[in-house]
Amino acid sequence: MADLTSTFIGIQSPNPFWLASAPPTDKAYNVVRAFEAGWGGVVWKTLGEDGPPLVNVNGPRYGAWHSGDRRLMGFNNIELITDRPLDLNIREITQVKKDWPDRAMIVSLMVPCTEDAWKDVLHKIEDTGADGIELNFGCPHGMSERGMGAAVGQVPEYVEMVTRWCKEYSAMPVIVKLTPNITDIRLSARAACNGGADAVSMINTINSIISVDLDTFSINPSTGGKGTHGGYCGPAVKPIALNMVAEVARDEQTRGLPISGIGGITTWRDAVDFIALGAGNVQVCTAAMTYGFKVIDDMIAGLSDFMDDKGITSIDEIVGKAVGNVTDWQYLDLNTIVKAEIDQDSCIQCGRCHVVCEDTSHQAITQEKDGLRHFEVIDEECVGCNLCVSVCPVENCISLRELSAGETDARTGETVSDQYANWTTHTNNPARTNQ
C-alpha cells in the first residue's frame, strides 16, 4: 500500500491532511476528536498577545452560499481569532502535543506588529513543545482593522520584517500564511522567503459579503441589523487558491519554497490537485465544518487508492508534478486544434448544448436532422471552446477530439500545421520563438 506519511519542513505526520487554523482547532476537545478521527495534524486557532481576550460577536458568525441542491459551495465568516485566554490555550497545546506526539502541532499567531510583541509570544509558544508556528498574515476582517492579519500580509515589507523577527527569536519552523487579498501573491511569498520563512501556507480567506436580506436589506450574517465583510472559503475558492499556489511554485524567486495548500479542499482529488501544483501538504477547514471530522476517512482512503492505482509509493512523488505544465498564455501551443463530439447513445436530447452555443458562442451545434430533434456538432463552425462539454448534464456525453498533425480544420480549410504557421507569421506573438 502507498505510504501516506508526510514530512513537511521536517515536521512529520501520519498523513498530509492537517486541519487549518479555524473554529475546528479552537480548543483541546476539538483537536483530540480530530486526532482520534485520523487527521495528521492541526494548526491551532490563531492566538493573540497576552491580556484581556478578544470579544467575538454573540450571534451569526457564518454565512453560506449553496448550490441548487443545498450543497455548500462558499462559506463566509466574521469570527475573530481565539477569544480564550492565552495561558489556557498554551496549557492545552502542551498537553495535547504530549498525548499525541506523532501528530503535527502548529500554532497560529497574530500579535501587534512590534518586535517586542512577537518576541514575547514566541517564547511562550516554544515551551509548549509545538512543532512550528504559522504567522497569520491573512485574516481579512476585524483584525486587519487593528493593524494585524491582512493589514500586514498586504505589505511585503512587513511580511519580511515580522518573518525575520520570528526566525531570530525562535528555533521553531516558521510558516507564513499569505493573504489572497492582494494584486500579486508572489510579492508576499518572495518577502516571506527573503525573511527566512521555512514555508508559506496559502490561501487565507477572501474578502467577501455573502448576501443581502431582501426583507430588511441588512447584510448576512447580521449583528444588530448591521453586517461586515468577512472571509470567504469553501469549494468556490479552490480555483483561485490553485492558481496562487501554482504561481508561487513556478516563480523563479520562490521555486523550492515549501507550500502548505489551503482553499476549498473537500475530497482527496482536491488534495492531489494542490499537491501536484506544488503543495507539500494540505490544510482543511470548511469540509470539516460541513461534514464533521470523519470526512478524513474518505480523504485518506481515496488518496491511498489513487496512489496504489498509479504505482505511487510516497507523497513526495506527486509534489509539483503538474507545475511544469503551467505556463503563460503566450506560450500555449496554438497548433493544437480540437473539435467537440456528441455521443448520440448518451445524449438525452435536452438541447442545452445547442441553446448555449447558438446564443452565446459559435452556432456550431444543430438541433434538427431529417425533421427530427437531433444535436450534432458542425465542424466548420466549432472552435473547441468546451462550453458544450461544461453545460452538458450527462458526464462524458460530449468530448473534445484533438486533430492530428496534417489534418484539415474544417473551419478554416487549412491543415493544422499551416494554420499555426500563418498565425505566427502575422502576429508579434512570442510563442513562435518559445515553443
Side-chain angles (χ1 to χ4, degrees):
M1 291 181 64
D3 181 7
L4 266 58
T5 301
S6 170
T7 302
F8 183 74
I9 59 171
I11 301 170
Q12 290 192 331
S13 55
N15 61 66
F17 298 104
W18 294 1
L19 282 173
S21 168
T25 61
D26 185 41
K27 60 177 77 72
Y29 178 84
N30 302 64
V31 172
V32 169
R33 285 178 61 84
F35 286 163
E36 289 173 343
W39 289 87
V42 301
V43 183
W44 200 276
K45 183 173 169 65
T46 307
L47 309 184
E49 62 182 335
D50 204 359
L54 290 171
V55 178
N56 271 293
V57 294
N58 290 305
R61 301 179 183 183
Y62 312 127
W65 172 58
H66 296 94
S67 64
D69 60 0
R70 282 292 292 178
R71 188 160 62 95
L72 192 144
M73 301 300 297
F75 201 59
N76 170 286
N77 90 89
I78 61 169
E79 184 167 304
L80 303 181
I81 65 175
T82 184
D83 52 12
R84 305 167 73 238
L86 179 61
D87 62 342
L88 174 59
N89 278 296
I90 287 175
R91 288 199 304 272
E92 290 188 355
I93 292 167
T94 304
Q95 188 62 51
V96 174
K97 181 58 186 176
K98 180 180 178 181
D99 294 341
W100 296 84
D102 68 325
R103 308 304 171 94
M105 173 66 75
I106 311 300
V107 179
S108 177
L109 297 174
M110 183 194 298
V111 298
C113 201
T114 67
E115 189 170 357
D116 286 343
W118 281 98
K119 182 178 180 181
D120 180 63
V121 75
L122 288 169
H123 291 316
K124 292 183 172 69
I125 302 306
E126 278 196 327
D127 293 339
T128 66
D131 297 299
I133 56 174
E134 182 179 81
L135 314 186
N136 186 343
F137 293 158
C139 184
H141 56 274
M143 304 310 297
S144 56
E145 289 92 321
R146 308 175 195 214
M148 293 178 274
V152 177
Q154 290 167 340
V155 183
E157 293 80 3
Y158 291 171
V159 172
E160 181 175 345
M161 177 179 68
V162 178
T163 303
R164 286 189 187 280
W165 290 341
C166 293
K167 290 301 295 181
E168 179 181 355
Y169 296 119
S170 173
M172 293 181 291
V174 175
I175 304 170
V176 177
K177 192 173 188 179
L178 303 180
T179 176
N181 301 297
I182 191 169
T183 305
D184 188 345
I185 201 164
R186 293 175 301 176
L187 303 180
S188 301
R190 291 170 187 170
C193 193
N194 292 338
D198 296 281
V200 292
S201 57
M202 52 196 292
I203 57 174
N204 208 312
T205 52
I206 301 170
N207 244 332
S208 62
I209 290 178
I210 200 71
S211 66
V212 175
D213 186 318
L214 298 186
D215 292 321
T216 64
F217 290 95
S218 60
I219 304 299
N220 291 319
S222 174
T223 301
K226 300 290 184 180
T228 186
H229 63 92
Y232 195 55
C233 55
V237 311
K238 178 191 166 187
I240 300 170
L242 285 177
N243 173 64
M244 292 187 173
V245 166
E247 287 299 286
V248 171
R250 71 190 187 100
D251 181 43
E252 290 185 1
Q253 296 185 45
T254 54
R255 191 170 296 156
L257 178 66
I259 300 170
S260 184
I262 312 170
I265 298 162
T266 306
T267 69
W268 68 267
R269 294 185 64 94
D270 298 328
V272 173
D273 284 346
F274 276 87
I275 295 170
L277 285 171
N281 71 359
V282 294
Q283 297 183 33
V284 179
C285 173
T286 305
M289 296 183 72
T290 305
Y291 303 109
F293 288 150
K294 293 299 286 182
V295 71
I296 189 62
D297 289 343
D298 290 338
M299 292 182 175
I300 290 175
L303 179 58
S304 181
D305 289 345
F306 165 77
M307 292 172 64
D308 286 341
D309 289 344
K310 296 292 185 180
I312 299 170
T313 58
S314 73
I315 298 296
D316 290 342
E317 294 179 45
I318 311 174
V319 176
K321 201 168 180 62
V323 174
N325 293 325
V326 182
T327 189
D328 296 335
W329 193 98
Q330 62 185 352
Y331 302 129
L332 296 178
D333 180 5
L334 298 179
N335 200 34
T336 299
I337 307 295
V338 298
K339 301 291 181 180
E341 291 184 339
I342 300 174
D343 180 355
Q344 298 299 330
D345 292 334
S346 300
C347 180
I348 61 173
Q349 304 294 314
C350 68
R352 287 182 64 184
C353 59
H354 165 74
V355 169
V356 298
C357 188
E358 192 73 15
D359 286 353
T360 70
S361 289
H362 297 87
Q363 298 75 54
I365 298 180
T366 66
Q367 65 173 330
E368 183 178 302
K369 183 178 183 179
D370 299 329
L372 300 175
R373 186 177 178 86
H374 179 82
F375 303 99
E376 192 168 311
V377 176
I378 306 169
D379 281 351
E380 292 83 354
E381 304 297 335
C382 180
V383 301
C385 71
N386 204 47
L387 178 61
C388 56
V389 178
S390 301
V391 303
C392 180
V394 180
E395 189 174 8
N396 298 323
C397 176
I398 307 179
S399 58
L400 296 179
R401 182 182 73 85
E402 182 177 338
L403 271 63
S404 302
E407 270 194 82
T408 299
D409 183 349
R411 189 173 68 88
T412 64
E414 298 177 316
T415 63
V416 171
S417 56
D418 287 343
Q419 178 167 330
Y420 176 67
N422 290 339
W423 184 84
T424 54
T425 299
H426 294 100
T427 67
N428 244 342
N429 191 345
R432 54 175 200 253
T433 57
N434 285 277
Q435 290 298 319

